[in-house]
Amino acid sequence: MAGTAISKTAGVFTSIVTSADAEALTRAKLLRRLAFCTFCNSSVDTLFIMNVKDKLIETFRNFQKAGKQAAIRSALMVFRVLMTRIQPQHVASFWPVVLPEMVRVLCNYSQHNAGHVYGNQTANTEINLGKIGQNRSPSSISPAQTLQHASSSHVAADTEVTMEVLKIIDYSITLLPNDFQVFRWAFLDDDRFVEEKLVREEMKRKAFI
């Protein structure tokens, strides 16, 4: 009886996790469709902008958990596409919603994944080389290898959503340099470039003396 109860509990838990993953993937697909419709729309009215903002807020609030990065990435892509279709004054109303999520994604990647990607590169190479020429059945895969595969998938998802944040920063600097200037310090360290510019100017001044 105890074994049956444990089995049923495990089945319910698996169903919940699977349902959450499916919901996140469904939301990601719908957001990508929204991004495409936004890009193709010749005119974007205020009501549409408000509805998009509500969807972004809902996505950021409900899908911030680990493993649900696909929905977050698609939401950020919607905002990136929207930046090319609406006036800067309308984009400004999105920054209080998008900026905290951008900072969270970058901090999360820096804290949890950067060391994993570079620190385990040698170990991953050895494992991949050890698999060459071997025909393993699914039953021969160890739990450790399964966990490593799941960890690698998580790192890949974090990398993809981080790239989306970097694209938004690049778009902002290119399309809206004046509007993004007030937030630039949070993502870019310009001190080194300013110092190099001052040094070059000083060298030019001395050359003319």
Side-chain angles (χ1 to χ4, degrees):
M1 292 293 293
T4 302
I6 293 175
S7 177
K8 290 182 178 180
T9 304
V12 172
F13 178 76
T14 302
S15 299
I16 294 175
V17 173
T18 303
S19 177
D21 291 339
E23 182 182 1
L25 292 176
T26 300
R27 174 59 64 96
K29 291 179 180 179
L30 292 176
L31 288 172
R32 287 197 295 270
R33 292 178 183 176
L34 177 60
F36 179 76
C37 292
T38 303
F39 181 77
C40 296
N41 196 356
S42 58
S43 61
V44 179
D45 56 19
T46 305
L47 180 60
F48 180 82
I49 295 174
M50 293 176 58
N51 290 333
V52 171
K53 185 189 298 184
D54 291 339
K55 290 299 180 183
L56 296 186
I57 294 174
E58 180 183 347
T59 301
F60 293 152
R61 183 176 62 246
N62 296 335
F63 296 95
Q64 287 182 350
K65 298 179 181 179
K68 307 299 184 294
Q69 299 286 33
I72 300 297
R73 178 192 176 194
S74 297
L76 293 172
M77 183 178 66
V78 170
F79 172 68
R80 180 163 58 90
V81 172
L82 197 64
M83 291 171 60
T84 66
R85 309 302 298 168
I86 62 178
Q87 297 298 322
Q89 60 267 26
H90 295 307
V91 176
S93 65
F94 281 83
W95 288 122
V97 177
V98 178
L99 277 176
E101 189 63 25
M102 293 172 61
V103 173
R104 185 195 68 81
V105 169
L106 293 176
C107 291
N108 180 71
Y109 184 84
S110 176
Q111 293 174 3
H112 298 97
N113 296 325
H116 175 87
V117 171
Y118 296 104
N120 294 339
Q121 184 175 4
T122 303
N124 291 337
T125 303
E126 292 176 353
I127 290 175
N128 290 333
L129 290 176
K131 291 180 179 179
I132 295 177
Q134 297 182 6
N135 296 322
R136 296 186 177 183
S137 63
S139 59
S140 65
I141 299 177
S142 66
Q145 291 172 326
T146 302
L147 290 175
Q148 184 180 17
H149 176 71
S151 178
S152 300
S153 300
H154 177 67
V155 170
D158 283 353
T159 302
E160 290 175 354
V161 73
T162 301
M163 287 299 298
E164 193 62 46
V165 171
L166 297 179
K167 290 177 183 178
I168 291 177
I169 296 174
D170 183 63
Y171 265 56
S172 302
I173 295 174
T174 304
L175 300 178
L176 306 170
N178 296 329
D179 298 272
F180 190 70
Q181 185 65 33
V182 67
F183 311 118
R184 182 186 178 100
W185 64 270
F187 303 100
L188 300 174
D189 183 8
D190 294 333
D191 292 342
R192 180 171 61 87
F193 299 102
V194 173
E195 292 176 359
E196 292 178 355
K197 181 179 180 181
L198 293 175
V199 170
R200 288 195 299 269
E201 291 177 353
E202 181 66 19
M203 292 176 62
K204 289 181 181 179
R205 187 182 66 81
K206 291 181 179 181
F208 285 107
I209 296 177

